[in-house]
DNA sequence: AGCGTTCTAGAATATTCGTTA
DNA sequence: CTAACGAATATTCTAGAACGC
């Protein structure tokens, strides 16, 4: 397995590592955004320091949106879990920024070889009414 | 059903008309881009005059991409069909721009009340291996 | 039915109108925060002009949190729907702030008598007749 | 027992890439 | 050859579920 540590978000992603996971790794590693997103001290999780600035400035560099909620939906989709802090939900004192932490057992600093183990949860089923382009009709119209 | 024909892309679209169809209508109607996308003469189809310029300049104003292929995929998804021209496939002479034409029986000039009849083809099925967070385990970790 | 239009968030809420709905009405009506949350032009929906500033400055005045996601969860819980705009998700030009719009058929300007019709969705929980510890296990770990 | 807050998941559309007919 | 489709991930809006009050 190969992981690309390219400096810009246009790096390739390889077949064993989903695009999201590859981008996330690059994102957390990137020194230029370490003030907004970085590894935790022990390297077993990552921190987003200022959710609002992060979503508006960093997310669109890697994804087609700037919504923290979409980012979190993807994290959950890949099995990441929020690390809940004792003071979450409490009002912040002045100048204190919020801090969000997420964790996945196979997403750890200096352990890129584990990334291939992170997989997306598959949607269980979908249905139903298929709009047929004229059931007996031709599939091509001139 | 209500469709908003507002002049700018910030107008709403309502639940009976899918976002794509609502955007497409606005796009074809918009006078500012009539040189790139417009109704055909009889109003039963629409034309894209310069595929390249259209995809790079117009699409990102309405969608999260600038790829003609993604636009076409959506058109097919909603039951639109390409109108094949006699000279398609022939080499273009200098200065002649390509022209693409698409059609849907419920997408016609001055007939917005038909838009609600245009519906997306539903994906027929999806499968499979669900990553279980520990089958017997909890769904939430703190 | 009585609705309290009190100026401060400590107003009472009355039995026919849930606390959340009562607070929401007060919030939208309040002139002091009209730059962040207000009625739409036709009075059939309400707008949040700057999601980030709104969540940090206004929400904690009325609720025990400052998270937009919690606010939205409540809105959905009471049957409100987001009104999707055509340009949603597209990159904003300079100085252009995001705008979120929500709607409920019984939440309209100058129609407080309708508020009593807004009710919370009932939780559709499944009763586990037999407590199957070890099989279904706990759903949360501490 | 019901409401409020939080974390996670469901469900539908959107985007991409590759294949089919 | 190419229009149309399959299939997977991505993004969005809404709902499920746990827990505290």
């Amino acid at each position: 397995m190969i992981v690309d540590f390219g400096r810009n978000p246009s790096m390739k992603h390889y077949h064993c590592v989903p695009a999201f996971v590859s981008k996330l790794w690059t994102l957390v590693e990137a020194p230029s955004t370490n003030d907004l997103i970085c590894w935790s001290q022990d390297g077993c999780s990552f921190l987003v320091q200022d959710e609002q600035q992060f979503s508006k400035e960093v997310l669109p560099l890697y994804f087609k949106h700037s919504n923290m909620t979409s980012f979190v939906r993807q994290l959950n989709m890949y099995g990441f879990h929020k690390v809940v802090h004792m003071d979450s939900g409490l009002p912040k004192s002045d100048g204190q920024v919020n801090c969000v932490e997420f964790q996945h057992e196979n997403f750890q600093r200096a352990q890129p070889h584990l990334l291939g183990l992170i997989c997306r949860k598959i949607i269980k089923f979908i249905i139903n009414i298929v709009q047929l382009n004229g059931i007996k009709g031709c599939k091509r119209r001139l």
Side-chain angles (χ1 to χ4, degrees), chain A:
Chain A
M1 189 202 60
I2 301 171
V3 180
D4 188 352
F5 300 97
R7 291 157 300 287
N8 66 68
S10 64
M11 76 284 176
K12 306 173 186 176
H13 54 87
Y14 296 84
H15 64 286
C16 291
V17 180
F20 176 76
V21 177
S22 185
K23 289 179 178 181
L24 181 61
W25 177 273
T26 305
L27 195 47
V28 177
E29 288 277 318
S32 61
T33 54
N34 266 0
D35 56 328
L36 291 174
I37 181 170
C38 60
W39 292 106
S40 65
Q41 198 142 27
D42 64 4
C44 292
S45 61
F46 71 88
L47 310 172
V48 174
Q49 295 289 348
D50 185 335
E51 198 176 323
Q52 307 214 339
Q53 197 182 347
F54 171 74
S55 63
K56 294 306 168 204
E57 297 181 7
V58 178
L59 283 181
L61 301 177
Y62 292 81
F63 306 100
K64 288 176 183 293
H65 65 82
S66 57
N67 302 315
M68 190 66 183
T69 56
S70 296
F71 182 60
V72 172
R73 185 70 193 86
Q74 282 284 71
L75 288 170
N76 287 326
M77 208 66 180
Y78 282 93
F80 284 76
H81 292 276
K82 187 167 186 173
V83 179
V84 181
H85 296 160
M86 225 78 92
D87 62 348
S88 65
L90 296 181
K92 301 288 181 293
S93 38
D94 287 346
Q96 190 183 356
V97 291
N98 57 51
C99 179
V100 185
E101 183 174 356
F102 276 90
Q103 169 271 338
H104 188 293
E105 58 177 348
N106 293 315
F107 191 82
Q108 298 182 27
R109 182 172 53 201
Q111 309 284 337
H113 57 285
L114 297 176
L115 296 181
L117 300 175
I118 302 174
C119 57
R120 197 173 200 267
K121 298 177 185 176
I122 306 293
I123 298 174
K124 296 180 208 100
F125 75 104
I126 294 189
I127 327 136
N128 348 73
I129 307 164
V130 180
Q131 181 205 20
L132 300 172
N133 310 351
I135 299 179
K136 306 165 190 168
C138 65
K139 291 203 170 183
R140 197 183 252 188
R141 291 175 198 169
L142 299 184

